[in-house]
Amino acid sequence: MKQIFKDKVVIVTGASSGIGEATVRQFALNGSRVVLAARSESKLSAIAKSINDSGGEAVFFKTDVSDEADCKMLIQKSIENFGRIDILINNAGLSMRAAFIDVDLTVLHRLMDVNFWGTVYCTKYALPYLIESKGSLVGVSSVAGFHGLPGRTGYSASKFAMHGFLETIRIENLRKGLHVMIIAPGFTSTEIRKHALIANGSEQGESPRNEQTLMSPEFVAKWVLKGIRKRKRNKLLTWDGKLTALFQRIIPDVVDWAYYREMSNEPKSPLK
Ligand code: NDP
């Protein structure tokens, strides 16, 4: 694995926390030159420093992916620093928890801005370099991008939109050697549920899940690298996800009820 990623230039959005942080650390361990992007400069700086202190090569650029100019700047500065881009991981993400009937529509706009438009902006400016390097374009998605997740309309919609976008980029560039992968972790122990937006647009502040029983970000990060190494198309990391992809074509109503039951059983579920 180490040889494949050695000296590769890898940009990871949402690198200040959770899956993004674990992913940049994993690439750095494998000899890649990593570019960290997110809004929290102090967190990015601390992570980049710890990578550089342990012999890796990391730079960071404060980036709000919902801002096109920031994404353009991220790609330009990555090129100024390293002269090439081999891998772009569109990982920055935001979730929500509210029934659609109650939710303020600004919540859906915000989720589309970060999860969908953030992916579009970064991809737009990185694509010529990824094609040049015959590199990998990755979207960190969710089972919510394969089947509607109740209480998460904006989240599911943004991940479905990301899928449609990335699949089309894959087909447009079939002859150019570009690899495009969508990876869907299961519930992973990160900050995502604390920052998830509730009906009025404020942060949920707590997790309705037992975080200790969830997948670790390090486990997800290892699969990101494995998926890229094998130039996988889609990577679903849970049996639930794999069964969803299979059964939604054969018995979609049963999958609907399974999803409803799972999400309505969460503490303080917004589903009535
Ligand atoms: P975290 O909340 O721990 O990390 C989210 C990251 O996204 C942070 O680094 C945050 O940094 C960044 N981010 C949020 N908004 C913006 C923005 N506007 N511009 C730039 N960066 C932003 O969550 P996860 O690690 O769990 O989430 C990573 C990805 O994994 C997401 O796309 C999520 O949908 C996906 N996922 C997560 C699952 C889970 O259960 N945890 C399950 C399936 C998929 P900052 O605040 O500094 O900007």
Side-chain angles (χ1 to χ4, degrees), residues 23 25 85 106 115 118 142 148 153 191 212 237 247 253 256 259:
T23 302
R25 289 188 184 281
I85 300 170
T106 55
N115 300 356
S142 156
T153 42
E191 299 290 300
Q212 271 144 24
L237 295 191
F247 286 134
D253 294 351
D256 287 353
Y259 272 44

Side-chain angles (χ1 to χ4, degrees), residues 14 16-17 19 39-40 64-65 91 141 155 159 186 188 190 193:
S16 64
S17 164
I19 293 169
R39 293 164 306 170
S40 167
D64 180 341
V65 295
N91 165 76
S141 184
Y155 188 67
K159 297 294 187 185
T188 307
T190 68
R193 279 162 290 279

Side-chain angles (χ1 to χ4, degrees), residues 15-268:
S16 64
S17 164
I19 293 169
E21 175 181 352
T23 302
V24 281
R25 289 188 184 281
Q26 194 60 36
F27 274 112
L29 278 174
N30 281 273
S32 304
R33 294 175 285 171
V34 290
V35 181
L36 288 66
R39 293 164 306 170
S40 167
E41 210 163 2
S42 57
K43 287 188 193 166
L44 292 179
S45 167
I47 297 164
K49 183 176 183 309
S50 88
I51 291 173
N52 289 324
D53 286 351
S54 47
E57 198 173 350
V59 294
F60 68 90
F61 302 113
K62 182 177 189 298
T63 310
D64 180 341
V65 295
S66 66
D67 181 333
E68 182 181 349
D70 267 20
C71 297
K72 189 175 182 184
M73 178 276 307
L74 166 68
I75 303 304
Q76 276 172 349
K77 293 217 165 144
S78 302
I79 288 295
E80 278 165 29
N81 258 271
F82 295 123
R84 59 182 290 135
I85 300 170
D86 296 286
I87 298 168
L88 169 64
I89 314 278
N90 287 297
N91 165 76
L94 179 64
S95 189
M96 64 172 283
R97 191 168 181 245
F100 181 70
I101 200 159
D102 303 320
V103 78
D104 191 306
L105 290 181
T106 55
V107 170
L108 271 71
H109 281 291
R110 187 71 198 136
L111 266 81
M112 290 302 289
D113 283 348
V114 176
N115 300 356
F116 173 66
W117 282 108
T119 299
V120 172
Y121 296 148
C122 291
T123 301
K124 174 74 182 165
Y125 295 104
L127 191 59
Y129 303 103
L130 290 171
I131 289 173
E132 201 179 325
S133 63
K134 297 195 189 314
S136 291
L137 170 63
V138 177
V140 180
S141 184
S142 156
V143 286
F146 290 87
H147 202 84
L149 199 60
R152 315 278 196 280
T153 42
Y155 188 67
S156 268
S158 67
K159 297 294 187 185
F160 269 73
M162 181 201 236
H163 287 204
F165 170 68
L166 290 176
E167 281 196 15
T168 312
I169 297 286
R170 178 192 290 130
I171 299 167
E172 282 186 4
N173 295 286
L174 271 181
R175 289 179 181 277
K176 297 185 183 157
L178 178 75
H179 165 232
V180 180
M181 177 173 84
I182 293 169
I183 184 160
F187 286 112
T188 307
S189 180
T190 68
E191 299 290 300
I192 195 128
R193 279 162 290 279
K194 276 193 219 154
H195 297 308
L197 305 181
I198 57 171
N200 65 9
S202 60
E203 287 194 2
Q204 179 165 241
E206 58 180 1
S207 171
R209 299 249 148 198
N210 180 356
E211 295 284 325
Q212 271 144 24
T213 61
L214 308 183
M215 215 172 248
S216 76
E218 291 73 24
F219 174 84
V220 177
K222 282 185 183 152
W223 276 104
V224 171
L225 272 75
K226 270 191 207 169
I228 293 173
R229 180 166 58 87
K230 295 186 174 170
R231 292 179 92 79
K232 288 272 187 194
R233 177 190 178 92
N234 288 336
K235 191 73 219 161
L236 289 140
L237 295 191
T238 58
W239 279 108
D240 293 358
K242 286 175 194 165
L243 291 175
T244 295
L246 176 67
F247 286 134
Q248 70 180 175
R249 287 188 219 129
I250 317 165
I251 42 169
D253 294 351
V254 174
V255 181
D256 287 353
W257 277 108
Y259 272 44
Y260 183 85
R261 213 180 64 163
E262 172 73 18
M263 301 314 278
S264 59
N265 279 340
E266 278 187 338
K268 299 188 202 160

